[in-house]
Amino acid sequence: MATQGDRGPQSPPMSVRLDNVERNRSEKCNTKAALELHMMPSGAKEKEILDNQLHFQDNKASFFSLYRYATWLDLAFVVVGTISALTAGALHPTAPIVNAYLVEYLARARFEGNAVAPLIDQFTRYYVYIFFISLVSWTIAAAAFIHTASRITRQIKTEYFAAVLRQNMAIFDDAGTGDISSHLNANTIQEAMSAKLAISIAAIGNLTGTIAVCFALDWALAFILSWSLILGTVVLVLTGKATAHYSSQSLDASSAATMVVEEALGNITTTTALGLQSHVHKTYLEYLRKASKRGFVLKILNSSMISLCVASGYINVALGFWQGSRLLTEGMTSFANVVTIAIVLKSAAFVVLNVGSNLEAFNMGITAAGRMYRMIDRVSPVESTSDDVLGNVDGAIELQNIKHIYPYRPEVTVLDNVSINFPARKMTAIVGPSGSGKSSIASLILRFYNPVAGNIILDGSHNLASLELQWLRQQIHFVGQEPFLFNKTIYENIEFGLTGPRWDKTSEKEKRRLIYNAAEIAQAHRFVSALPHGYDTVLGASESRLSGGQAQRLAIARAIVSQPRILILDEATSALDGETEAKILSAMSESCQECTRIVIAHRLSTVRDADKIIVLRSGRVAEEGTHSELMARRSSYFELVNAHPGGQIDNAGLSSSQQKEKLDKRLNNVGLGDTEEHKSGRKGDATVLASEAFDKAEPSTSLLSLLRFGWRLNHPELGWMVVGLICSVLAGLEEPASAILFAKSIVSISRPVSQRKEVLSETSLYSWMFFLLAMAAFLVLTTEGVIFGWCSEKMTNRARSMALDKLLRMDVSFFDRNSAGALASFLSTSITELGGISGSALSVILICASTTVCGILVSMLFGWKLALLCLGLFPAHVASGYFEAWLLGEFELHIELSNEEAAELASESLLGIQTIAALARQDKVLSVFKTSLRATSARALKANLRTSFLYALAQAIYYAGMAITFWYGSKLIIRHEYDLEQFIVVQSSMLMSAYSAGLVFSWTPSIGKAIRASARLEHLLSQKSAIDPSDVSDCVEPGTPKGRIDFDSVTFCYPSRPDVPAVKNLSFSIAAGSNVAFVGPTGSGKSTIISMIERFYDPAQGTIKLDKHSLVSLQVAKYRQCIGLVNQEPTLYNGTIKMNLLAGLDVGIRPSDADVKNACKQANIYKKGLETVVGNKGTQLSVGQKQRIVLARALIRQPTILLLDEATSALDSQSESLIRDALEKAKEGRTTITVTHRLNTIVNADWIYVLEQGTIVEEGTHTELMARGGRYHSLFIASTSGQVI
């Protein structure tokens, strides 16, 4: 990956993803292949080198390959678990045999009395045995598979992450870190190997047992009823294909919607400034509608599939009794056989579906494993096959005829025949226009990429490719323009630079001394010490608690702490004011005398004292020499220097004694901005973000209020909801009706054979009633499933729309307290949990509740004694269902916490992969990753055992209920208190009611999640935005303002530091059409002024006015349309350059093509193709190129007020000069406010304000301020000459 400051000449990026990088070449060349490669023609050789940097070996995984990293112990657990699961599954068709014989004995008991009691007791004990066998086998099966899945998945993820850390940067350029880290975030492999596998194996045992039992008892009757097995297979195959098709489309649309939100909220200041809220909301809803359509189809398929299987079960019972009665009366089968087969094949279709219900999970697991194994098996082409290291390193680097092409842009040559010598222990500077290949040299020295031609030599004779890679990188440290810091303490971040074995045995005291010393050199010690927790301050994600200048200083401290032999600085001080930059460079020149320094810079004042300066242009060396030599030649370097208005200023005529006097006076004083830099609320002038997160809002709603909230969300579908509720109640009558028909059918076939006519007549009647019940069940279940599925989609989409609309209307301070990732996760995940009160969840809960109530009522009517006994079983069923679900949630929480911590670490590490690779800290990061994965393993094992036992209890308790009811029922029948029909109706109704009650409570976690999601949504919707762009009440339109801005006694504190003012009692006036600049040390309040003019924040005291109208009185959206903003950190959205240029203009009048062309020419980007895709966050472009596009975007809007916050900080002097000329023209007729550290860019400003600690300390024109010799004078000299005075 080319460093962001400089990517060389740009072109449309390749849209090849990691999954599609499949080339048919050998990955690692052996000696013969290497010789062939050497003899290849130049073009073929270059292509081979480029292909090798992106090449992946084909790796087709199978199910058994999931166990690639299983130990013998793991395999032993799998074998035991498989046997246990098959046993548990086989009990399902076995138990009905016992049931059938008991029913037969009960039928005889009415006439034979106590004579059959011993047989009843014997078979009742069989149910007790089955209960214990089921309990033990399910416990072992679930625990074994969950445990092995957890162990193996941890090992796979560890191997995968280790492989990722070894890869060359081209892989990350091509695939993006998101695709690579997604495999670590997902649990698809673990899901494919854990409880779902145990359930599927048990289903195989169930299916095998079903076929074996039925055909063994009566093959003819079994053959007649086997159609349901075929139906189940057909339904499984067809719905499986349809589900895969529609779920993939739904997932793609949902992912696209989430990306839109993450991008918009992650760049909320740009989104707000451009007025993109309505566009983002509209785009998000379009993707949601696509996902919703596919999701609704999936719900219809699922509902229809279940309804069809339920109906097929009743049809099978009807066929079983109809044909069974005929065979029974003809003496071709027995009573027990008919009853057994009817019971077993009632659920035949479900048996088949259970076998394939988890096929999707298995396929997803296999696919995920295949992708991970491809990465694991890949050998990075930058890894050396040699273990050679040098005993002593001088640090001389030589580039010999280097040609470099980035693999993801093979049509662009970045470096062409470049030869450069970097002398040992000298400072060599590389300068040149943006895109000339400067940063690419740094990437090649660090061996992030392989050049397609040439060699890089260390110390005169050692080719870098022949040296051990980790050792090599330990000798070289690197600081880029956009430094990456980890979400750890400041101390740990600097300590990260202590790489190599020589620091392993260093005492903690010595390490602390080195770290403090490095921080002193980097001018970071003072601001770090001023923090409340000092060096123990945690930086936060994406170093959100630091300004850009602070982050750069810590990165410099990290780079120099280990005293490397080679130090590469790529625009390492671009975010610093000139004074602080000069101090750092002065301190480094003294402390790094034994270090070879390679400095890449656009600020030429920082490289004047370099021992050698290399000038690159279009990937070639244009010239080289010292500053004085190059100036004398009056060539490329001379042009670069003269592109700065103050380029020829050399220490402003100060004598050496004057310089020394002022240097001695000020060297020990840290710029005032340092002490305040950490106190602001956002990058630039801001820092520590409050941790008070909306995402952690505690649920404050009850179940009743939750239901009311759900009904409100579904109010437009209220009529359909009522129909669905009625259907659910009717569906609850299904089981009691089935119990009555089943009892009457059994009583009919239990008659003596002599009553053949009555038997056939009655069973025929009840069979037709079973058929009608099947049709009714199909109709009712399908209807309520479709209705609730549709209502669920409507409700979640409506909730997401309301939530996003509210988020986009919130003021910027809200996003200081809440991360974009957490908010996007809330929209995509948490709101989905509202489904706990709608959709399939509500459907199942209502049906089970209806079944429970109806079953109890029917049982009480038919026989209250046995019903009361069965009611005693309810607590056990309910408890097993509740605790199973609760413990399963706890177990999933343990896994989620472990995976979240590891995934967060991995995601952060991949974002900083260049930093980790450059520091050779892969082993350290991998060790922390392993620890995080193992952190909750002990607790997860205990939770696994508890969960497995309760899951087994929930599966087995039905058999215990059967044993108890047969035992007590037989007593009642023998005493002639009950007949067989009463007993069967009560037993079937009550046991199904108890089971249904358990199912209702098993949804408790889903209801709990829905309550939490509802509370958080209501909490969000109840919040008021202090600056709502959609609020037009009591506001006036600004019309076409003149552009006069007045600050009247303005004081402002960021919400995170309410006791520390970022600006205080600030008063100034900016005339309409004037060009005004704000300058000062880092953290002095400059960017805060920009933020308040944009109305990202409102002042705590005082007023800000536009043309004498208070900003608070103006319509926010209309006002922001009058402003063009260019930030120091340019933000682009994923799409084409043209799309980014026109962002936010769809609600107004779109500019003509001529206007677009003119703005592009002004920003010096017209040579770029407007249809070029910029990539996620503009990663396919250099920072300078992004800045120019953002500048063009601002100019296209033709704003009345133009805000430039370090708008050209990433540009080389010539590009800056061209743009500056364009800006001078663009400033005509509009108010321009510039914030900059490059003071030579504002010498023509109409008025300049100098800020320190949030107050104005000087003001005037450039000439006036220079004449005073005050603060501005010293800042200007430091900025232009690199000297501190």
Side-chain angles (χ1 to χ4, degrees):
M1 185 184 301
T3 53
Q4 294 296 323
D6 187 359
R7 284 179 172 266
Q10 298 294 311
S11 64
M14 295 177 66
S15 58
V16 184
R17 307 302 293 171
L18 175 62
D19 298 338
N20 298 326
V21 185
E22 305 282 355
R23 297 178 176 87
N24 299 317
R25 292 184 175 87
S26 173
E27 183 174 288
K28 188 177 179 183
C29 295
N30 54 25
T31 306
K32 180 180 178 181
L35 181 59
E36 291 173 353
L37 178 61
H38 180 72
M39 297 175 65
M40 283 182 182
S42 177
K45 180 180 178 181
E46 290 179 4
K47 187 175 186 301
E48 186 76 13
I49 292 173
L50 294 176
D51 285 350
N52 281 341
Q53 294 183 71
L54 291 173
H55 175 69
F56 276 88
Q57 197 84 359
D58 285 334
N59 195 322
K60 294 183 180 179
S62 65
F63 180 80
F64 292 106
S65 68
L66 295 177
Y67 292 91
R68 174 174 173 174
Y69 293 101
T71 63
W72 286 108
L73 181 62
D74 295 328
L75 294 177
F77 275 124
V78 169
V79 171
V80 173
T82 300
I83 295 172
S84 299
L86 289 172
T87 302
L91 291 176
H92 285 279
T94 305
I97 299 175
V98 179
N99 189 327
Y101 278 103
L102 281 169
V103 169
E104 183 178 357
Y105 295 146
L106 290 177
R108 289 166 51 189
R110 188 165 183 83
F111 305 102
E112 299 179 22
N114 287 324
V116 295
L119 291 172
I120 293 174
D121 291 342
Q122 176 185 347
F123 276 84
T124 300
R125 284 195 297 273
Y126 290 160
Y127 259 122
V128 176
Y129 301 152
I130 292 174
F131 165 75
F132 283 110
I133 294 172
S134 178
L135 182 66
V136 172
S137 58
W138 269 119
T139 301
I140 294 174
F145 280 108
I146 291 174
H147 180 62
T148 54
S150 179
R151 282 168 51 94
I152 294 170
T153 303
R154 282 201 304 269
Q155 187 60 35
I156 292 175
K157 287 187 175 183
T158 300
E159 295 289 339
Y160 175 77
F161 189 51
V164 168
L165 293 175
R166 294 193 303 265
Q167 298 307 316
N168 54 297
M169 292 302 141
I171 295 301
F172 303 96
D173 296 337
D174 189 50
T177 57
D179 284 347
I180 294 173
S181 64
S182 64
H183 299 302
L184 293 169
N185 300 336
N187 294 318
T188 50
I189 295 178
Q190 185 162 346
E191 288 179 2
M193 300 170 67
S194 57
K196 290 183 177 180
L197 180 56
I199 292 170
S200 294
I201 293 174
I204 293 173
N206 187 358
L207 178 60
T208 305
T210 296
I211 296 172
V213 166
C214 292
F215 279 88
L217 293 177
D218 191 319
W219 71 267
L221 185 58
F223 183 79
I224 294 173
L225 303 185
S226 62
W227 71 275
S228 57
L229 296 174
I230 299 172
L231 173 67
T233 304
V234 172
V235 169
L236 175 64
V237 172
L238 294 181
T239 55
K241 290 183 178 180
T243 299
H245 175 71
Y246 286 105
S247 62
S248 176
Q249 292 184 344
S250 177
L251 183 61
D252 289 343
S254 299
S255 299
T258 302
M259 286 180 64
V260 169
V261 172
E262 285 184 345
E263 194 170 44
L265 300 185
N267 305 304
I268 189 61
T269 53
T270 303
T271 301
T272 301
L274 294 175
L276 289 173
Q277 292 92 338
S278 60
H279 171 74
V280 170
H281 190 262
K282 178 182 177 182
T283 305
Y284 181 70
L285 290 185
E286 286 176 357
Y287 282 120
L288 278 189
R289 279 191 284 270
K290 291 179 182 178
S292 181
K293 287 179 181 178
R294 276 68 176 182
F296 180 51
V297 171
L298 285 173
K299 287 180 170 62
I300 292 176
L301 287 173
N302 187 57
S303 176
S304 301
M305 178 180 68
I306 293 174
S307 303
L308 185 61
C309 291
V310 169
S312 72
Y314 289 130
I315 292 174
N316 247 3
V317 173
L319 282 174
F321 282 122
W322 178 40
Q323 290 298 312
S325 62
R326 181 181 62 80
L327 295 173
L328 180 64
T329 54
E330 293 175 358
M332 298 176 65
T333 191
S334 66
F335 173 86
N337 289 354
V338 174
V339 174
T340 299
I341 293 174
I343 294 174
V344 170
L345 290 182
K346 178 184 178 183
S347 58
F350 279 111
V351 169
V352 177
L353 288 183
N354 287 339
V355 172
S357 60
N358 295 314
L359 283 178
E360 183 180 359
F362 298 149
N363 288 331
M364 289 176 65
I366 292 168
T367 301
R371 292 177 178 177
M372 295 179 82
Y373 290 161
R374 286 198 312 156
M375 183 69 76
I376 292 171
D377 295 337
R378 185 178 189 271
V379 178
S380 171
V382 301
E383 283 194 11
S384 174
T385 57
S386 169
D387 294 330
D388 290 348
V389 298
L390 305 183
N392 182 49
V393 177
D394 288 332
I397 296 283
E398 183 181 0
L399 274 62
Q400 298 178 345
N401 308 114
I402 291 294
K403 181 178 181 180
H404 178 54
I405 299 172
Y406 285 109
Y408 59 91
R409 288 186 289 135
E411 70 280 9
V412 179
T413 300
V414 179
L415 295 173
D416 189 9
N417 196 32
V418 171
S419 296
I420 301 174
N421 182 37
F422 299 97
R425 293 181 290 278
K426 300 291 183 181
M427 174 181 171
T428 303
I430 306 175
V431 301
S434 297
S436 59
K438 302 182 298 297
S439 295
S440 299
I441 291 176
S443 297
L444 291 174
I445 293 175
L446 286 163
R447 297 216 62 220
F448 289 163
Y449 305 89
N450 281 333
V452 296
N455 298 299
I456 304 177
I457 306 300
L458 175 64
D459 289 347
S461 59
H462 304 282
N463 194 321
L464 293 191
S466 67
L467 298 173
E468 203 273 323
L469 186 61
Q470 293 291 93
W471 173 88
L472 174 65
R473 288 175 176 169
Q474 287 167 4
Q475 316 308 310
I476 308 170
H477 279 190
F478 170 77
V479 183
Q481 181 177 354
E482 296 178 329
F484 181 86
L485 298 175
F486 295 93
N487 186 13
K488 296 185 178 298
T489 65
I490 291 175
Y491 182 89
E492 289 173 315
N493 268 281
I494 300 178
E495 184 189 30
F496 211 69
L498 293 172
T499 61
R502 61 176 172 149
W503 304 109
D504 293 343
K505 296 181 180 179
T506 305
S507 66
E508 188 61 33
K509 181 179 179 181
E510 177 63 13
K511 284 184 179 180
R512 190 165 290 273
R513 184 191 69 79
L514 290 169
I515 288 169
Y516 286 176
N517 182 59
E520 288 274 11
I521 295 172
Q523 302 297 305
H525 182 71
R526 288 286 292 274
F527 89 76
V528 172
S529 299
L531 294 172
H533 300 290
Y535 282 85
D536 293 325
T537 301
V538 178
L539 295 183
S542 301
E543 63 264 9
S544 59
R545 299 175 186 271
L546 297 178
S547 72
Q550 289 172 326
Q552 279 191 337
R553 279 180 273 175
L554 292 182
I556 291 171
R558 179 177 63 194
I560 64 177
V561 68
S562 64
Q563 302 162 9
R565 304 306 302 163
I566 301 167
L567 179 64
I568 303 175
L569 303 176
D570 185 0
E571 290 286 351
T573 57
S574 61
L576 301 177
D577 60 273
E579 191 174 44
T580 304
E581 178 185 51
K583 292 176 184 177
I584 293 174
L585 295 176
S586 175
M588 286 178 62
S589 65
E590 295 181 8
S591 62
C592 300
Q593 291 180 357
E594 297 300 312
C595 172
T596 301
R597 282 175 290 157
I598 301 174
V599 179
I600 298 169
H602 284 140
R603 246 190 234 181
L604 302 187
S605 60
T606 63
V607 300
R608 290 173 182 245
D609 297 328
D611 297 292
K612 182 163 66 171
I613 300 174
I614 309 295
V615 182
L616 288 183
R617 188 177 294 276
S618 301
R620 291 176 177 269
V621 176
E623 58 179 343
E624 61 178 270
T626 64
H627 169 72
S628 57
E629 291 170 351
L630 294 175
M631 290 298 292
R633 293 178 193 168
R634 306 178 69 85
S635 185
S636 298
Y637 182 76
F638 181 83
E639 294 173 1
L640 288 172
V641 172
N642 280 326
H644 293 274
Q648 292 298 326
I649 294 176
D650 203 350
N651 298 334
L654 292 175
S655 67
S656 59
S657 60
Q658 288 175 312
Q659 293 181 47
K660 186 177 187 303
E661 181 183 348
K662 292 200 173 186
L663 178 62
D664 292 339
K665 180 180 178 181
R666 299 183 59 87
L667 188 57
N668 293 322
N669 295 328
V670 179
L672 294 173
D674 282 350
T675 60
E676 295 298 322
E677 190 174 354
H678 66 281
K679 297 179 181 178
S680 44
R682 294 188 65 77
K683 286 191 174 182
D685 287 50
T687 25
V688 188
L689 304 184
S691 58
E692 162 196 353
F694 139 79
D695 189 50
K696 297 181 180 178
E698 291 296 324
S700 58
T701 56
S702 63
L703 179 59
L704 184 60
S705 62
L706 167 68
L707 291 174
R708 283 201 300 266
F709 183 62
W711 279 104
R712 285 204 307 273
L713 287 175
N714 262 143
H715 184 73
E717 296 80 38
L718 187 60
W720 289 109
M721 292 283 284
V722 171
V723 175
L725 180 63
I726 294 172
C727 288
S728 296
V729 173
L730 293 176
L733 298 173
E734 166 213 321
E735 284 295 342
S738 170
I740 294 172
L741 292 177
F742 194 77
K744 290 186 176 296
S745 298
I746 287 180
V747 169
S748 296
I749 64 173
S750 67
R751 295 175 182 275
V753 179
S754 58
Q755 301 179 17
R756 182 175 182 274
K757 186 175 181 181
E758 290 82 355
V759 169
L760 293 176
S761 175
E762 289 183 6
T763 51
S764 177
L765 172 65
Y766 298 137
S767 294
W768 276 109
M769 295 182 71
F770 263 118
F771 180 79
L772 292 176
L773 179 62
M775 296 299 101
F778 178 78
L779 179 62
V780 170
L781 290 174
T782 300
T783 302
E784 62 87 26
V786 170
I787 287 175
F788 282 123
W790 182 65
C791 292
S792 174
E793 290 292 336
K794 288 290 185 181
M795 183 185 74
T796 52
N797 281 3
R798 193 168 289 122
R800 285 192 174 108
S801 175
M802 293 166 62
L804 181 59
D805 180 64
K806 173 59 79 171
L807 288 174
L808 292 171
R809 288 162 49 196
M810 296 304 293
D811 53 276
V812 172
S813 63
F814 174 83
F815 298 92
D816 292 344
R817 303 188 299 273
N818 302 281
S819 70
L823 297 174
S825 175
F826 171 72
L827 284 173
S828 63
T829 305
S830 297
I831 289 186
T832 306
E833 293 169 354
L834 287 173
I837 55 169
S838 184
S840 59
L842 182 60
S843 171
V844 171
I845 291 172
L846 290 175
I847 290 174
C848 290
S850 176
T851 299
T852 301
V853 173
C854 294
I856 292 173
L857 292 176
V858 169
S859 299
M860 286 295 184
L861 288 174
F862 271 79
W864 62 269
K865 287 185 178 181
L866 185 58
L868 288 178
L869 173 67
C870 292
L871 274 176
L873 298 174
F874 266 64
H877 278 277
V878 170
S880 65
Y882 174 79
F883 285 111
E884 175 203 349
W886 179 75
L887 272 177
L888 186 60
E890 288 291 300
F891 176 65
E892 289 177 347
L893 179 61
H894 287 306
I895 296 175
E896 185 178 336
L897 288 175
S898 174
N899 287 338
E900 272 188 2
E901 183 181 350
E904 183 179 350
L905 171 67
S907 179
E908 182 186 32
S909 299
L910 294 183
L911 287 175
I913 187 63
Q914 278 197 356
T915 300
I916 293 171
L919 293 171
R921 297 293 276 180
Q922 291 94 332
D923 290 343
K924 171 70 174 176
V925 173
L926 183 61
S927 175
V928 176
F929 180 77
K930 289 179 181 178
T931 302
S932 64
L933 280 179
R934 291 194 299 262
T936 58
S937 58
R939 285 179 295 165
L941 177 60
K942 294 178 182 178
N944 172 25
L945 295 174
R946 290 195 298 266
T947 303
S948 299
F949 175 77
L950 285 173
Y951 177 80
L953 183 62
Q955 300 299 313
I957 198 170
Y958 177 80
Y959 300 125
M962 293 292 284
I964 293 172
T965 53
F966 269 118
W967 170 77
Y968 185 62
S970 66
K971 306 298 181 187
L972 295 175
I973 290 176
I974 289 173
R975 292 199 299 264
H976 299 284
E977 296 183 36
Y978 275 28
D979 58 24
L980 182 60
E981 181 180 341
Q982 284 179 287
F983 168 77
I984 294 175
V985 170
V986 174
Q987 183 198 50
S988 298
S989 298
M990 288 303 292
L991 289 182
M992 281 308 302
S993 295
Y995 179 72
S996 298
L999 280 181
V1000 169
F1001 281 91
S1002 71
W1003 284 89
T1004 302
S1006 296
I1007 297 174
K1009 289 179 180 178
I1011 290 176
R1012 289 192 292 273
S1014 170
R1016 291 161 68 186
L1017 179 58
E1018 285 194 291
H1019 175 69
L1020 171 63
L1021 297 178
S1022 66
Q1023 296 205 34
K1024 300 294 182 182
S1025 174
I1027 308 173
D1028 186 350
S1030 64
D1031 185 8
V1032 296
S1033 59
D1034 301 324
C1035 295
V1036 297
E1037 287 194 25
T1040 304
K1042 296 179 180 178
R1044 177 184 175 86
I1045 297 174
D1046 295 285
F1047 272 54
D1048 184 9
S1049 304
V1050 169
T1051 297
F1052 173 72
C1053 303
Y1054 283 98
S1056 59
R1057 299 296 297 273
D1059 55 333
V1060 180
V1063 295
K1064 49 190 176 185
N1065 200 29
L1066 202 62
S1067 297
F1068 59 82
S1069 294
I1070 300 175
S1074 63
N1075 175 16
V1076 174
F1078 289 90
V1079 300
T1082 306
S1084 56
K1086 305 182 296 297
S1087 295
T1088 300
I1089 293 173
I1090 297 291
S1091 295
M1092 287 194 291
I1093 293 175
E1094 267 280 6
R1095 274 210 79 190
F1096 293 155
Y1097 304 92
D1098 282 336
Q1101 296 176 9
T1103 58
I1104 305 174
K1105 296 179 180 179
L1106 174 68
D1107 296 342
K1108 298 183 179 181
H1109 296 285
S1110 172
L1111 295 190
V1112 179
S1113 67
L1114 301 177
Q1115 291 183 15
V1116 179
K1118 295 289 186 181
Y1119 166 68
R1120 286 175 178 158
Q1121 288 178 5
C1122 303
I1123 299 176
L1125 173 65
V1126 183
N1127 277 324
Q1128 179 179 357
E1129 297 180 350
T1131 298
L1132 297 180
Y1133 298 93
N1134 196 5
T1136 64
I1137 290 178
K1138 186 174 182 179
M1139 184 276 288
N1140 276 278
L1141 291 174
L1142 301 180
L1145 294 177
D1146 51 340
V1147 294
I1149 300 174
R1150 279 189 173 269
S1152 65
D1153 290 342
D1155 291 333
V1156 174
K1157 180 179 179 180
N1158 184 51
C1160 292
K1161 283 184 175 180
Q1162 286 181 329
N1164 196 25
I1165 65 167
Y1166 193 67
K1167 63 182 180 180
K1168 294 292 299 173
L1170 294 185
E1171 298 305 321
T1172 298
V1173 177
V1174 302
N1176 185 31
K1177 297 183 180 179
T1179 53
Q1180 296 296 329
L1181 304 177
S1182 72
V1183 179
Q1185 290 165 331
K1186 288 191 287 184
Q1187 240 171 10
R1188 280 179 271 168
I1189 291 173
V1190 172
L1191 181 57
R1193 181 169 64 192
L1195 296 176
I1196 285 175
R1197 299 167 72 88
Q1198 299 183 353
T1200 302
I1201 302 168
L1202 182 61
L1203 305 178
L1204 305 174
D1205 188 359
E1206 291 286 356
T1208 59
S1209 62
L1211 301 181
D1212 61 274
S1213 56
Q1214 286 186 324
S1215 296
E1216 184 183 38
S1217 177
L1218 290 172
I1219 291 175
R1220 186 169 57 249
D1221 293 340
L1223 283 176
E1224 291 302 322
K1225 297 177 182 177
K1227 290 174 183 176
E1228 296 175 3
R1230 58 171 55 100
T1231 303
T1232 305
I1233 300 173
T1234 304
V1235 170
T1236 185
H1237 285 137
R1238 289 186 178 183
L1239 302 193
N1240 54 14
T1241 63
I1242 48 96
V1243 294
N1244 295 324
D1246 298 323
W1247 203 253
I1248 299 171
Y1249 293 98
V1250 183
L1251 294 176
E1252 285 205 24
Q1253 291 187 312
T1255 61
I1256 296 174
V1257 296
E1258 285 182 349
E1259 60 178 289
T1261 64
H1262 168 74
T1263 304
E1264 292 170 351
L1265 293 173
M1266 288 298 291
R1268 293 176 195 171
R1271 190 73 177 103
Y1272 177 82
H1273 180 265
S1274 61
L1275 288 171
F1276 187 82
I1277 298 303
S1279 172
T1280 57
S1281 68
Q1283 298 295 325
V1284 182
I1285 61 172

